[in-house]
Amino acid sequence: MKDAKEEFEKGAFYMLLSSITLSLFTLSAKFGTNTAPYFLLIFLRFGIPFLLLLPFLLWTTSIKELFLTKSFKIQLLRCGCLLIYQYSIFYYLIYASVLDATVMQNTAPLFIPILEWVFFKHRFEKKVILSICISFIGVLCILQPDKSIFAQLSIAGILAPLGQAGSQVLYRHQAKNENQKSTLFYLFFLCSSVSAIALVVSKELFGKTYSLEHYTSLFWVNILCLGVASILSQLFRGEAYKHGKASALAPFLYASIIFSAILDWVMFHDLPNWLSLIGALLVIGGGLIQVYKRK
């Protein structure tokens, strides 16, 4: 009994670390949107971690093994989902607070059962619909669309967690069937390549020139923090699941909402309005319904 308690406490600790790093990732992304062009920022977000990761992968794995995959289609699908998530959340952060963006990212697990059905035909209980409906009302409270739900910012706010959920669903499949180093290589290689193409196309379409010379060392530190925080958040979450059930540990991930609210207040002196607070509570409530119904 004592061992089970200690394992749960370890799992809760790692999940809290995952929550903190998720908030720090969102904060770094917010800083980035204030200092760099949109398409350049997303390219750097993937490109720099890829360059840092590549020597390690080549040192520990052969080139043949890196390119070896059982399903290139799944690799492409996950890349597409992650790009949708990143382009959407970065666009959302241009106009929204760190807190609101964190809440939106925390809605991703609510859509996982639906996407598991779409991708792999996994069945889900009808009660899932209740938690999704409650959380979606919370999302509307946060988005507060002034004209319609189809406003650009609202679309970005909804696409971000959907893309994130799709990436997580496909990653679970890859974890069981693929070499993890190969999966990591394909993810950063494909995302870097596609975001590089998007950068070049944006340059041609909008006539922008992207020069890296005038960016300060603080900017590059922030870009590094962005990549490190996103990786650590996933690593801590994976470590947490080794020590406890996902259903029992998931509520601790919502601590990121509290951390982000503190960061918003400290860094930007930004306090949420009452509608955003209600939305955050509804998103948490919807998530807890889905967690505790599994017990």
Side-chain angles (χ1 to χ4, degrees):
M1 195 71 179
K2 183 179 179 181
D3 290 340
K5 182 181 178 182
E6 288 179 353
E7 285 296 296
F8 177 78
E9 289 175 348
K10 287 181 182 178
F13 173 71
Y14 281 114
M15 190 59 83
L16 286 174
L17 289 179
S18 179
S19 299
I20 293 172
T21 48
L22 175 62
S23 296
L24 292 175
F25 163 79
T26 310
L27 178 65
S28 294
K30 180 67 175 177
F31 282 142
T33 59
N34 292 332
T35 55
Y38 175 68
F39 288 99
L40 176 62
L41 179 63
I42 296 175
F43 167 68
L44 293 175
R45 178 260 180 276
F46 288 111
I48 290 181
F50 177 61
L51 291 176
L52 294 174
L53 187 65
L54 189 58
F56 168 75
L57 294 176
L58 292 174
W59 180 265
T60 57
T61 312
S62 68
I63 296 178
K64 182 179 179 180
E65 287 177 320
L66 284 180
F67 281 97
L68 189 65
T69 179
K70 293 182 179 179
S71 177
F72 185 68
K73 179 181 177 181
I74 296 294
Q75 302 285 6
L76 281 175
L77 279 174
R78 188 176 177 220
C79 168
C81 288
L82 188 60
L83 286 170
I84 289 172
Y85 163 42
Q86 293 293 285
Y87 276 105
S88 298
I89 200 66
F90 275 77
Y91 180 82
Y92 186 73
L93 275 166
I94 294 174
Y95 305 98
S97 68
V98 174
L99 172 61
D100 287 353
T102 302
V103 174
M104 296 306 298
Q105 291 174 92
N106 271 284
T107 64
L110 303 170
F111 300 110
I112 286 177
I114 296 176
L115 293 176
E116 285 179 337
W117 175 78
V118 171
F119 287 134
F120 303 111
K121 305 303 179 184
H122 291 179
R123 298 181 64 181
F124 63 90
E125 298 180 28
K126 293 182 179 179
K127 289 183 180 180
V128 170
I129 298 174
L130 174 62
S131 64
I132 292 175
C133 288
I134 292 174
S135 295
F136 188 71
I137 294 172
V139 167
L140 291 180
C141 290
I142 294 167
L143 293 176
Q144 300 170 33
D146 52 353
K147 293 182 179 179
S148 70
I149 189 60
F150 299 105
Q152 286 184 340
L153 190 60
S154 298
I155 293 174
I158 293 173
L159 283 178
L162 280 173
Q164 185 184 9
S167 176
Q168 290 182 16
V169 169
L170 293 170
Y171 178 63
R172 289 180 184 179
H173 173 79
Q174 289 178 318
K176 298 177 182 178
N177 301 284
E178 297 277 5
N179 180 297
Q180 292 307 297
K181 290 180 181 177
S182 175
T183 296
L184 203 59
F185 168 76
Y186 270 109
L187 181 68
F188 280 96
F189 172 69
L190 292 173
C191 288
S192 297
S193 301
V194 174
S195 60
I197 294 172
L199 179 65
V200 173
V201 171
S202 70
K203 179 181 178 181
E204 296 298 324
L205 287 178
F206 305 115
K208 291 186 176 181
T209 57
Y210 300 107
S211 175
L212 302 178
E213 296 178 358
H214 67 278
Y215 291 112
T216 65
S217 56
L218 188 61
F219 168 80
W220 294 109
V221 169
N222 183 62
I223 293 296
L224 286 174
C225 290
L226 185 65
V228 171
S230 64
I231 293 171
L232 287 179
S233 181
Q234 294 299 316
L235 289 177
F236 286 140
R237 193 177 307 184
E239 190 65 28
Y241 290 149
K242 293 179 182 179
H243 298 282
K245 294 182 179 179
S247 59
L249 296 172
F252 291 96
L253 190 59
Y254 289 114
S256 61
I257 295 175
I258 299 173
F259 297 138
S260 291
I262 295 172
L263 290 174
D264 252 346
W265 176 64
V266 172
M267 295 294 182
F268 306 106
H269 306 291
D270 191 7
L271 293 174
N273 59 37
W274 65 271
L275 207 51
S276 290
L277 286 175
I278 292 175
L281 291 174
L282 287 172
V283 167
I284 294 173
L288 292 179
I289 287 175
Q290 194 170 128
V291 168
Y292 288 114
K293 74 176 184 60
R294 294 176 185 169
K295 291 187 175 182

